[in-house]
Amino acid sequence: QVQLVESGGGLVQAGDSLRLSCAASGRASSTYALGWFRQAPGKVREVVAAISWSGGSTYYADSVKGRFTISRDNAKNTLYLQMNYLKPEDMAVYYCAAKDGIATRPPIAGYNYWGQGTQVTVSS
């Protein structure tokens, strides 16, 4: 089992930056991939970014490429999402997720464990 707790959400203005964190516990974080997902009201949950177990490979949705950066610190069992140049369309509940496995490439589906989510609100 893996427990995930997100933090760092809040209300910002368009163009601002925000950093989300996700604290993982229950198992060594080097045994699973991690990802950030988001869900806006009335929309399907979508993958934002994902990172392999080692941190050596990452994936970004086209909508956030060049603005968001995913990273992880396995020594601290923590996942991060640095979000720059936020837009109103980035507003959503952001979820941290973990998927068992040590594949080289980070998965974008099939995650086993989920956090409770943190709200990101972007005003225009």
Side-chain angles (χ1 to χ4, degrees), residues 1-122:
Q1 287 286 341
V2 178
Q3 293 79 43
L4 303 167
V5 179
E6 304 95 336
S7 62
L11 171 63
V12 296
Q13 293 186 331
D16 285 351
S17 298
L18 206 58
R19 188 175 83 154
L20 304 182
S21 298
C22 173
S25 61
R27 227 170 66 206
S29 60
S30 58
T31 61
Y32 46 84
L34 291 166
W36 287 101
F37 292 74
R38 67 186 180 187
Q39 186 167 21
K43 294 190 177 181
V44 177
R45 185 163 55 188
E46 62 177 357
V47 60
V48 174
I51 189 166
S52 63
W53 69 276
S54 67
S57 182
T58 57
Y59 165 87
Y60 294 95
D62 288 342
S63 58
V64 305
K65 280 181 183 177
R67 299 188 298 123
F68 291 11
T69 302
I70 188 171
S71 62
R72 65 189 293 169
D73 185 337
N74 285 345
K76 295 181 179 180
N77 290 337
T78 304
L79 173 72
Y80 303 99
L81 183 67
Q82 178 65 46
M83 305 185 293
N84 298 328
Y85 306 107
L86 282 161
K87 304 176 181 179
E89 50 263 44
D90 293 319
M91 184 162 60
V93 177
Y94 282 71
Y95 297 91
C96 169
K99 178 177 171 63
D100 291 326
I102 55 173
T104 302
R105 293 186 177 183
I108 60 173
Y111 280 72
N112 310 89
Y113 309 101
W114 295 86
Q116 293 299 307
T118 185
Q119 176 71 47
V120 172
T121 302
V122 184

